[in-house]
């Protein structure tokens, strides 16, 4: 029996992973840190080359990768950023941090819309995010330009864009003692009303918009010039650590329009890909091409 072209593609995708992952990855992925390496350097697999260097609380370069299988999928070869050596969460302790070239902000340019997405798992002694615990810090305090995503004492998240903040209203917080939690926040700088959305998920629960999680934040477009990027702490500082682990942290963005804002469905596709440990986009495309070729050969032989 001859397969029509659409069935051929669907058959090939089904043999590997859901086709919709490729659709989600068509968005403007600027920064992506999967932490699936070893050593003190963390490369970005997004379109912007922005490698980070791990440092311990004392300021020395250190390998802060988890052991194999320590990432959100638990699969062999899946690693995470392990910052559990921190002495406390947020303003109550010190801990490891990342440093990047100060040109990273200039490389990103001016963003009119963006999405920050990733996973965190708090250390055993901390079920909630602590006050001031930095997850994604690309903010210049002297110019009040940039973006910052951090935790608050009640376990909620707060997004700061150019000095203006919006807090997630999740009353029970982004919690999960030693459990992987999926987080995402989207921002549309082309509007000043209902332009921030907070999302939540887990390794076993799908992505959902937090009840009442749409906020208004008049921060305008984001431009950070030569500001450095910090993950799990302030950029280049040990003073506001996230006491736990981070994995698959991504920044999507657009320099015009609203295409930097991902939908709940697109975020869910990333969540599914992360917990399934689906290969990186280039690898996935190669495997898909090989699978389609194989099916095409089978089809030709049956013709």
């Amino acid at each position: 029996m001859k397969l029509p072209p659409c069935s051929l593609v669907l058959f090939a995708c089904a043999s590997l992973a859901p086709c919709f992952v490729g659709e989600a990855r068509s968005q403007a992925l600027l920064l992506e840190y999967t932490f699936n390496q070893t050593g003190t350097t963390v490369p970005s697999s997004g379109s912007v080359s922005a490698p980070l260097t791990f440092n311990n609380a004392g300021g020395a370069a250190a390998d802060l990768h988890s052991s194999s299988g320590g990432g959100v999928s638990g699969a062999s070869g899946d690693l995470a950023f392990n910052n559990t050596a921190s002495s406390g969460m947020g303003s109550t302790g010190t801990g490891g941090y990342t440093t990047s070239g100060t040109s990273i902000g200039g490389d990103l340019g001016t963003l009119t819309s963006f999405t920050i997405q990733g996973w965190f798992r708090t250390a055993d002694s901390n079920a909630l995010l602590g006050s001031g615990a930095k997850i994604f810090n690309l903010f210049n305090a002297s110019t009040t330009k940039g973006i910052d995503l951090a935790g608050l004492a009640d376990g909620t998240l707060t997004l700061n864009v150019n000095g203006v903040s919006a807090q997630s209203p999740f009353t029970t917080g982004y919690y999960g003692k030693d459990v992987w939690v999926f987080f995402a926040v989207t921002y549309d700088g082309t509007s000043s009303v209902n332009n921030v959305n907070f999302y939540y998920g887990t390794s076993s629960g799908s992505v959902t918009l937090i009840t009442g999680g749409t906020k208004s934040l008049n921060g305008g477009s984001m431009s950070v010039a030569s500001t450095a990027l910090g993950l799990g702490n302030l950029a280049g500082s040990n003073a506001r650590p996230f006491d736990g682990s981070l994995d698959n942290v991504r920044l999507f963005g657009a320099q015009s329009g609203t295409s930097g804002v991902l939908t709940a469905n697109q975020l869910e596709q990333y969540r599914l890909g992360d917990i399934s440990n689906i290969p990186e986009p280039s690898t996935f495309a190669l495997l898909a091409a090989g699978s389609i070729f194989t099916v095409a050969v089978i089809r030709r032989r049956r013709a």
Side-chain angles (χ1 to χ4, degrees):
M1 180 180 70
K2 293 184 178 181
L3 295 173
C6 60
S7 297
L8 178 63
V9 174
L10 289 174
F11 179 83
C13 286
S15 67
L16 292 169
C19 291
F20 52 64
V21 174
E23 179 185 352
R25 285 178 170 161
S26 66
Q27 293 296 311
L29 177 56
L30 302 179
L31 300 173
E32 180 180 48
Y33 298 98
T34 63
F35 306 107
N36 293 335
Q37 306 84 20
T38 58
T40 61
T41 301
V42 184
S44 166
S45 47
S47 63
V48 176
S49 176
L52 305 176
T53 300
F54 278 139
N55 295 268
N56 60 25
D63 188 348
L64 300 182
H65 290 97
S66 71
S67 59
S68 178
V72 65
S73 73
S76 176
D78 189 5
L79 283 64
F81 172 12
N82 182 0
N83 207 19
T84 57
S86 301
S87 63
M89 180 77 84
S91 59
T92 64
T94 58
Y97 60 93
T98 65
T99 57
S100 69
T102 56
S103 63
I104 183 172
D107 292 339
L108 292 173
T110 299
L111 301 181
T112 58
S113 59
F114 64 81
T115 299
I116 302 173
Q117 172 265 307
W119 296 80
F120 70 74
R121 183 175 64 183
T122 59
D124 289 349
S125 59
N126 296 287
L128 289 173
L129 289 166
S131 179
K134 301 297 183 181
I135 294 178
F136 188 99
N137 179 245
L138 187 65
F139 187 79
N140 190 320
S142 62
T143 62
T144 63
K145 297 293 184 181
I147 52 180
D148 178 75
L149 184 65
L152 296 176
D154 59 1
T156 58
L157 284 174
T158 179
L159 174 70
N160 183 306
V161 180
N162 296 334
V164 184
S165 297
Q167 179 184 354
S168 65
F170 199 25
T171 56
T172 52
Y174 280 83
Y175 67 95
K177 185 175 181 180
D178 202 30
V179 172
W180 281 110
V181 173
F182 180 97
F183 67 87
V185 59
T186 67
Y187 173 73
D188 174 11
T190 68
S191 174
S192 60
V193 179
N194 297 327
N195 59 351
V196 179
N197 289 315
F198 289 93
Y199 295 89
Y200 172 87
T202 65
S203 55
S204 59
S206 60
V207 174
T208 58
L209 176 66
I210 296 171
T211 302
T214 299
K215 297 292 182 180
S216 298
L217 194 161
N218 191 15
S221 298
M222 189 282 294
S223 178
V224 292
S226 59
T227 303
L229 171 65
L231 300 180
N233 215 324
L234 286 167
S237 170
N238 69 357
R240 292 291 186 273
F242 172 81
D243 186 9
S245 299
L246 297 174
D247 200 11
N248 298 340
V249 177
R250 302 178 176 101
L251 172 68
F252 304 83
Q255 295 186 355
S256 63
T258 63
S259 62
V261 175
L262 269 65
T263 65
N265 182 58
Q266 290 170 323
L267 292 169
E268 173 65 4
Q269 293 166 21
Y270 273 93
R271 186 193 72 86
L272 290 172
D274 289 341
I275 62 176
S276 302
N277 200 30
I278 292 176
E280 291 303 304
S282 58
T283 304
F284 181 83
L286 180 62
L287 292 174
S291 180
I292 292 173
F293 175 78
T294 301
V295 174
V297 171
I298 295 172
R299 178 186 175 190
R300 178 181 293 272
R301 289 178 176 176
R302 289 180 176 177

